[in-house]
Amino acid sequence: MTINEIQDELIEEFSLFTDWMEKYEYIIQMGKEVNLIDEQYKTEDNLIRGCQSRVWLHADYKDGKVIFTADSDAIITKGLVSMVVRVLSDHTPAEIANAELYFVDKVGLREHLSITRSNGLLSMIKQMKMYAVALQSQANQ
């Protein structure tokens, strides 16, 4: 699936819920299903700056695609990072770097998250795109 197809799938899933409590429960559920980062990568270097909670993100480069794993010490934040991992993982660095992540607004995250969580989500996306650019430049050398 393309990044946009995955985003559209997420938007459709969220449209099934009528209120934000149900949506928060779904975000929490997604956090339980995230590809967890290996304990060896839970280091200061892999912490995402700008998040109120502790969020670790690791990127592997396999067969021309970036595979992300993540974890957080906060359940909602773990769900948020799992959404971004789901959308961006297993795509080429160029696809990730050039992706416009419209699901954040379409699902209503920007308007329903606290400012600190919203900023943290943007920091996660920014870090994933930076990993993609770095991995792409390494591959081109």
Side-chain angles (χ1 to χ4, degrees):
M1 293 178 80
T2 67
I3 288 173
N4 285 352
E5 288 170 340
I6 298 167
Q7 290 188 89
D8 292 342
E9 186 178 78
L10 261 175
I11 292 164
E12 188 174 322
E13 290 168 13
F14 271 83
S15 73
L16 300 173
F17 302 108
T18 55
D19 67 36
W20 262 92
M21 287 312 294
E22 291 175 336
K23 291 180 183 185
Y24 280 126
E25 287 174 21
Y26 189 58
I27 293 169
I28 290 168
Q29 182 60 40
M30 284 191 286
K32 294 176 182 175
E33 298 167 4
V34 69
N35 286 336
L36 286 179
I37 193 169
D38 192 289
E39 287 297 317
Q40 70 178 347
Y41 298 120
K42 279 190 171 181
T43 63
E44 288 294 316
D45 289 343
N46 288 331
L47 275 174
I48 296 178
R49 309 289 176 238
C51 289
Q52 186 176 11
S53 307
R54 293 171 56 90
V55 180
W56 297 271
L57 179 69
H58 178 71
D60 274 325
Y61 191 61
K62 293 181 186 170
D63 301 322
K65 296 188 176 185
V66 183
I67 311 297
F68 292 105
T69 55
D71 199 1
S72 175
D73 60 0
I75 192 68
I76 290 279
T77 306
K78 187 185 265 193
L80 295 173
V81 76
S82 76
M83 292 172 71
V84 186
V85 166
R86 177 176 161 188
V87 170
L88 295 180
S89 198
D90 206 25
H91 294 282
T92 67
E95 290 170 329
I96 295 166
N98 296 319
E100 180 192 332
L101 298 186
Y102 55 83
F103 83 92
V104 173
D105 287 324
K106 297 271 186 186
V107 167
L109 292 175
R110 200 178 313 266
E111 66 188 71
H112 285 84
L113 293 176
S114 67
I115 290 175
T116 54
R117 279 211 177 105
S118 188
N119 288 340
L121 179 61
L122 294 176
S123 294
M124 293 175 212
I125 293 167
K126 181 179 174 184
Q127 185 63 47
M128 292 171 96
K129 287 185 172 229
M130 285 174 37
Y131 275 142
V133 169
L135 289 167
Q136 187 171 32
S137 68
Q138 287 176 2
N140 292 336
Q141 292 179 356

